[in-house]
Amino acid sequence: MAEVKVGQTNLVAPGTATVVSVEGKSIALFNVGGTLYATANECTHVGGPLGNGRLDGTVVTCPWHGSQFDVTSGQMLKGPARRPVAGYRVRVEGTDVFVALD
Ligand code: FES
């Protein structure tokens, strides 16, 4: 699938997360020390918005029930979720940010 431009690098400040839409799909975008990562916005527990979660280093905490995921891999680190979250490829060109849903 082709990459989709989601905005500029100032969309998400270092140490924070935001939510963007890619082809109608809600995607969480994270800035870890200047490097951007993307996962599905829906927590694999019951769909909490990970892009509204707290980011500590590479770990996002779901705002609903506290599940934790590594945003660099989607790996689940702490329940109640029991499955990893999908991760997506992010590419930055200049100040443009692209996400691919492949
Ligand atoms: S929805 Fe994320 S921990 Fe429950």
Side-chain angles (χ1 to χ4, degrees):
M1 178 177 290
E3 295 176 326
V4 175
K5 182 179 170 182
V6 297
Q8 306 284 305
T9 47
N10 62 4
L11 191 64
V12 56
T16 69
T18 193
V19 180
V20 296
S21 178
V22 179
E23 298 185 339
K25 191 173 173 65
S26 188
I27 302 293
L29 191 65
F30 305 94
N31 185 330
V32 178
T35 302
L36 302 185
Y37 297 92
T39 70
N41 189 40
E42 288 188 6
C43 176
T44 57
H45 179 218
V46 290
L50 295 179
N52 298 123
R54 191 183 74 245
L55 185 63
D56 296 304
T58 64
V59 178
V60 65
T61 300
C62 177
W64 284 6
H65 313 103
S67 289
Q68 292 184 325
F69 301 88
D70 186 324
V71 303
T72 68
S73 64
Q75 182 184 359
M76 191 209 70
L77 303 174
K78 178 173 170 268
R82 292 162 57 171
R83 293 179 289 119
V85 67
Y88 300 106
R89 190 163 47 84
V90 179
R91 186 173 66 85
V92 175
E93 185 175 315
T95 58
D96 293 335
V97 180
F98 299 86
V99 173
L101 297 185
D102 53 11

